[in-house]
């Protein structure tokens, strides 16, 4: 089980143990120790084709307005439904950016 205070750091550790490609990173924007943006920035050079979906309980306007994320990034507001998540994943994996 991942420690609540180490989620981003634990994700980097798991990445070192995993030998395959990472096609999609689904990460919370706000996490203890290392936020989702920093996590994706550290993984992106290793997996340049990796898509990222950021999620948060904050609205996308609040996240963009405070400069945490750029408006063109994939964002999923919590709470979300399984169908909403599936749509966002299909959109992210189907896009070239």
């Amino acid at each position: 089980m991942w420690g609540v205070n180490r989620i981003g750091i634990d994700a980097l550790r798991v990445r070192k143990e995993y030998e395959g490609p990472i096609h999609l990173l689904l990460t919370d924007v706000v996490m203890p120790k290392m936020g989702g943006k920093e996590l994706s920035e550290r993984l992106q050079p290793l997996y340049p084709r990796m898509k990222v979906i950021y999620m948060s309980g904050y609205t996308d306007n609040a996240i963009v307005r405070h400069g945490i994320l750029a408006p063109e990034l994939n964002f999923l507001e919590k709470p979300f439904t399984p169908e909403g998540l599936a749509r966002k994943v299909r959109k992210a994996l189907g896009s070239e950016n």
Side-chain angles (χ1 to χ4, degrees):
M1 179 108 186
W2 289 4
V4 173
N5 291 327
R6 298 177 31 98
I7 295 170
I9 295 166
D10 285 344
L12 292 176
R13 181 187 50 76
V14 169
R15 192 270 328 154
K16 287 181 181 178
E17 298 169 3
Y18 177 71
E19 297 180 13
I22 297 177
H23 300 284
L24 178 68
L25 171 65
L26 175 62
T27 184
D28 207 317
V29 174
V30 179
M31 298 186 296
K33 305 283 184 194
M34 178 187 308
K37 188 168 188 318
E38 181 182 351
L39 175 61
S40 70
E41 288 171 349
R42 291 181 67 176
L43 289 175
Q44 203 74 54
L46 303 169
Y47 306 97
R49 298 185 65 157
M50 177 184 74
K51 307 300 182 183
V52 181
I53 299 173
Y54 297 95
M55 61 181 167
S56 179
Y58 298 101
T59 66
D60 57 348
N61 286 339
I63 296 290
V64 170
R65 187 174 51 240
H66 293 303
I68 298 169
L69 293 179
E72 69 275 2
L73 296 176
N74 290 314
F75 180 80
L76 185 60
E77 188 175 337
K78 293 186 216 175
F80 51 83
T81 64
E83 295 81 13
L85 174 60
R87 277 192 303 275
K88 187 60 78 168
V89 168
R90 276 193 299 274
K91 180 181 176 190
L93 292 177
S95 69
E96 288 300 312
N97 296 329

